[in-house]
């Protein structure tokens, strides 16, 4: 059972973190194109993926990770488990309350006002910064999970 739980946990994490990395690349391409249609489409796709892929994957990572801790010989006091939980909670909250909704707003605003509108640029720059911080945190969780310091 433990191996099954860990496998599902890792596969969901690969989908989630790999998707976040890919979104960074696609977002950079959309922004550098300065094409309002591409930016609007990116915002719509980011919102769609967030709700239908990233959020479910993050919940699977959390549920199967917690279950694996109960089934395995791990302690809730282990740093790598606490870091993983903190990273998942941070990312899920930021994604659901900011990244997804803001991506949709930026996409619509960009289509309406144009890619170079000062409000579009300001929101886009803030979104990029927050999403990159989130990605760094997710990547750090992966590294800490693999290394398991103190285990």
């Amino acid at each position: 059972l433990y191996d099954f739980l860990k496998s599902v946990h890792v596969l969901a994490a690969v989908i989630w973190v790999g998707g976040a990395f890919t979104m960074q690349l696609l977002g950079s391409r959309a922004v550098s194109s300065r094409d309002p249609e591409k930016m609007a489409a990116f915002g719509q796709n980011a919102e769609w993926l967030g709700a239908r892929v990233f959020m479910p994957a993050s919940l699977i990572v959390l549920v199967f990770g917690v279950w694996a801790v109960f089934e395995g010989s791990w302690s809730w006091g282990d740093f790598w488990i606490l870091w993983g939980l903190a990273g998942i909670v941070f990312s899920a909250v930021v994604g659901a309350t900011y990244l997804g909704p803001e991506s949709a707003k930026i996409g619509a605003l960009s289509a309406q006002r144009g890619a170079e509108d000062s409000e579009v640029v300001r929101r886009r720059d803030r979104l990029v910064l927050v999403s990159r911080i989130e990605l760094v945190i997710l990547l750090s969780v992966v590294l800490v999970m693999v290394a398991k310091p103190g285990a």
Side-chain angles (χ1 to χ4, degrees):
L1 178 59
Y2 175 78
D3 288 339
F4 170 75
L5 296 172
K6 184 171 70 168
S7 296
V8 172
H9 173 77
V10 169
L11 288 172
V14 166
I15 291 167
W16 182 21
V17 177
F21 182 81
T22 301
M23 290 304 292
Q24 286 294 323
L25 297 175
L26 293 175
S28 293
R29 282 181 50 101
V31 169
S32 68
S33 76
R34 300 191 183 276
D35 180 340
E37 289 180 19
K38 286 183 181 178
M39 285 189 252
F42 174 77
Q44 292 166 347
N45 286 328
E47 179 190 22
W48 188 90
L49 283 168
R52 291 166 183 82
V53 177
F54 299 147
M55 184 56 73
S58 70
L59 292 173
I60 291 168
V61 168
L62 177 61
V63 169
F64 279 77
V66 167
W67 194 359
V69 170
F70 283 117
E71 288 295 324
S73 57
W74 306 111
S75 166
W76 288 103
D78 289 340
F79 169 76
W80 62 274
I81 292 173
L82 296 174
W83 186 251
L85 286 171
I88 288 171
V89 169
F90 172 80
S91 182
V93 169
V94 168
T97 63
Y98 178 72
L99 294 176
E102 187 67 6
S103 291
K105 289 176 190 171
I106 292 169
L109 199 57
S110 178
Q112 182 183 48
R113 296 185 183 181
E116 299 305 316
D117 177 77
S118 62
E119 179 70 8
V120 171
V121 171
R122 184 185 67 76
R123 285 174 169 252
R124 184 180 64 221
D125 290 348
R126 185 177 57 201
L127 180 87
V128 167
L129 175 63
V130 172
S131 67
R132 288 190 177 155
I133 291 168
E134 181 207 23
L135 179 59
V136 168
I137 289 171
L138 287 175
L139 291 171
S140 77
V141 168
V142 170
L143 292 173
V144 169
M145 288 281 160
V146 170
K148 291 182 180 47

